[in-house]
Amino acid sequence: ACRSLFVTAVACLAYGLCKYNELVRCAVAHAGNDHRLGAQEAPPAIISLYPGTGFEAHVDSIVAGGGLLGYEALKRFQNTGSTAAQSIEANIEDRNRTAPFPFCSNRFEFRAVGSSQNCSFPVA
């Protein structure tokens, strides 16, 4: 039940960002953040959703008629490059730090909000 709810919520999020991306963009706009978005730093000023390659493939299979369930975030052990430290379990998905709304294995991060802003305003 939780997985199907999550996939349904992602579908609603994607639809909302597609339909109302200008509204979301306006909600995070101010002089300092507009300089940051798409200019000197990432993310770009275009509000988009980056689900990652694995999750995107799962969504494509749902669109093609597949089941809602079946996606699982894959992990692997990342070598630290040091003999003094153990390998660290990490997600395979690319976090795409340049996306304004990337998927990070078990959550979406809203990165378009500036550091001086409260993220509850644009989300509401």
Side-chain angles (χ1 to χ4, degrees):
C2 286
R3 281 187 170 178
S4 59
L5 180 63
F6 177 72
V7 173
T8 304
V10 170
C12 292
L13 176 64
Y15 178 78
L17 285 176
C18 180
K19 187 164 174 105
Y20 301 106
N21 63 45
E22 291 97 359
L23 183 64
V24 175
R25 175 69 180 92
C26 289
V28 299
H30 65 75
N33 205 25
D34 282 352
H35 180 68
R36 179 181 77 94
L37 294 173
Q40 304 300 321
E41 294 181 27
I46 298 168
I47 300 299
S48 61
L49 184 70
Y50 179 75
T53 54
F55 195 75
E56 187 174 0
H58 178 63
V59 171
D60 288 342
S61 74
I62 293 170
V63 170
L68 283 177
L69 304 180
Y71 174 77
E72 184 146 346
L74 301 175
K75 296 181 183 251
R76 68 173 175 209
F77 282 95
Q78 191 78 12
N79 187 355
T80 61
S82 170
T83 57
Q86 291 182 334
S87 297
I88 300 169
E89 189 176 37
N91 295 319
I92 290 178
E93 291 287 344
D94 175 23
R95 291 184 58 205
N96 191 353
R97 300 193 63 80
T98 62
F101 223 116
F103 180 67
C104 300
S105 79
N106 62 351
R107 69 191 180 286
F108 280 92
E109 293 180 359
F110 191 23
R111 293 199 180 122
V113 180
S115 62
S116 64
Q117 292 176 292
N118 185 332
C119 68
S120 64
F121 174 71
V123 171

